[in-house]
Amino acid sequence: MKNIISVDVEEYFHPTELEGCISAGRWTSLPSLVEPQTRQVLDLFSRHGVKATFFLLGWVAERHPKLVRDIAAAGHEIGCHSYAHRLIYTLTPAEFRDDTVRAIQAIEDACGVTPRAYRAPSYSVTAQSLWALEILVECGFTHDSSIYPISHDRYGIPEFGSRARTLWTPSGPLVEVPIATVKLSESRMAPVGGGGYLRLLPYRYTAAGIRRINRHEQPACIYFHPWELDPEQPRMARSWISRLRTYTGLTSMRSKVERLCTDFEFGPLTAVHPTPEPVDHPLTAVAAC
Ligand SMILES: [Zn+2]
């Protein structure tokens, strides 16, 4: 069975964990590492013959158009990871639309590809921001992978469940592909899909989780960031919890991704989940889960 491997392409200073230490106004003054870090990921995928989905930050696409072109030329799917990595539930619908349109434009300008798959910064499509899915459809997206069906202090809709499904928004259908989880009990879901969990936990935990999901005839959606494969990156997070979440397991991450690519088959998100027939699953039902 083909699973999905996805890469959220952003700089080491973009994660939400670092928001309190580095304002967006300082981004342009910091050394850029996204290009060499992402090229290492491209090399790794090339050696294993893996095709992935790369969710690009518009801010990165504007500054590294050659990198974006090379990702597309290597046969990977081009997705969108917003423009400025702002959490959706902190934005108004108008601000979210502006950010999304700007990101699409930056990605199109860089590589000539219009992204059809979206991933929110820090999985910030929650029960409070489901309105964003309708805007994504209006912006031309057919797929979204922004719901992590777990409980977390910053994101998550645990009741969404582990299966991909077509949601019926007022503007049309959208295939929602949640990040991989396994069910521990009726009310508890365990994260499997990455990126911090892949770094923090032993490889066998992730591998066993993917196998369990596949036994139920479901593909697993896995993600990581290029900076997670770089143990030499500057350490900018301050609080102990942010340092734990951001920097633990960096040295073993590359070998874990290598093992994933050896042990499992992967494909791009929209190829693994081609748009199915629309299912009348209204967003209000998700919100009421
Ligand atoms: Zn991100």
Side-chain angles (χ1 to χ4, degrees):
M1 172 174 292
K2 278 214 165 147
N3 295 288
I4 298 155
I5 196 156
S6 57
V7 186
D8 295 354
V9 182
E10 60 193 34
E11 292 278 9
Y12 63 93
F13 47 79
H14 284 141
T16 306
E17 289 291 343
L18 276 66
E19 246 179 13
C21 330
I22 308 159
S23 66
R26 283 184 59 205
W27 287 354
T28 52
S29 68
L30 295 168
S32 170
L33 294 176
V34 70
E35 182 133 2
Q37 291 169 346
T38 306
R39 290 197 181 281
Q40 287 187 26
V41 176
L42 286 171
D43 288 347
L44 190 158
F45 284 162
S46 172
R47 277 188 276 111
H48 291 275
V50 165
K51 300 297 182 208
T53 298
F54 284 72
F55 292 99
L56 290 145
L57 205 64
W59 191 92
V60 168
E62 267 182 2
R63 288 160 178 79
H64 302 275
K66 174 75 164 61
L67 174 66
V68 181
R69 280 197 296 280
D70 289 348
I71 294 170
H76 299 293
E77 176 169 41
I78 298 292
C80 177
H81 189 42
S82 85
Y83 180 83
H85 213 273
R86 292 188 292 171
L87 300 173
I88 294 177
Y89 49 73
T90 67
L91 304 176
T92 65
E95 288 170 336
F96 174 65
R97 186 188 301 274
D98 288 348
D99 178 274
T100 306
V101 168
R102 191 175 177 192
I104 294 168
Q105 190 64 57
I107 292 166
E108 284 178 345
D109 289 349
C111 67
V113 175
T114 302
R116 297 294 179 214
Y118 185 88
R119 168 150 310 141
S122 296
Y123 298 96
S124 51
V125 172
T126 65
Q128 289 72 46
S129 53
L130 286 170
W131 48 261
L133 301 181
E134 180 182 354
I135 295 172
L136 289 177
V137 174
E138 290 167 4
C139 290
F141 290 97
T142 58
H143 290 66
D144 178 61
S145 182
S146 301
I147 292 179
Y148 210 149
I150 56 168
S151 295
H152 186 277
D153 57 3
R154 207 170 41 232
Y155 53 76
I157 306 179
E159 301 83 359
F160 187 85
S162 58
R163 283 188 180 276
R165 46 185 159 144
T166 303
L167 303 176
W168 192 259
T169 80
S171 298
L174 185 72
V175 179
E176 180 64 43
V177 182
I179 301 303
T181 54
V182 292
K183 200 170 189 174
L184 294 180
S185 67
E186 272 313 304
S187 57
R188 285 190 64 211
M189 305 293 284
V192 167
Y197 303 104
L198 184 55
R199 267 188 292 116
L200 292 161
L201 299 169
Y203 173 77
R204 64 178 181 278
Y205 169 88
T206 303
I210 295 173
R211 289 195 184 96
R212 187 162 151 191
I213 292 165
N214 289 170
R215 275 200 297 275
H216 290 90
E217 303 300 318
Q218 289 181 57
C221 182
I222 308 295
Y223 80 96
F224 66 95
H225 307 86
W227 55 262
E228 292 186 279
L229 275 64
D230 182 4
E232 307 299 323
Q233 68 185 281
R235 303 292 201 267
M236 305 189 86
R238 287 201 199 114
S239 73
W240 73 268
I241 185 73
S242 292
R243 292 181 75 84
L244 174 84
R245 284 177 170 175
T246 313
Y247 304 129
T248 304
L250 294 174
T251 50
S252 61
M253 189 65 168
R254 166 185 296 277
S255 66
K256 286 177 177 172
V257 175
E258 294 264 12
R259 285 186 72 182
L260 280 175
C261 291
T262 303
D263 294 348
F264 298 95
E265 280 193 56
F266 291 103
L269 185 137
T270 62
V272 172
H273 288 287
T275 309
E277 289 299 308
V279 175
D280 190 9
H281 193 105
L283 280 180
T284 48
V286 177
C289 279

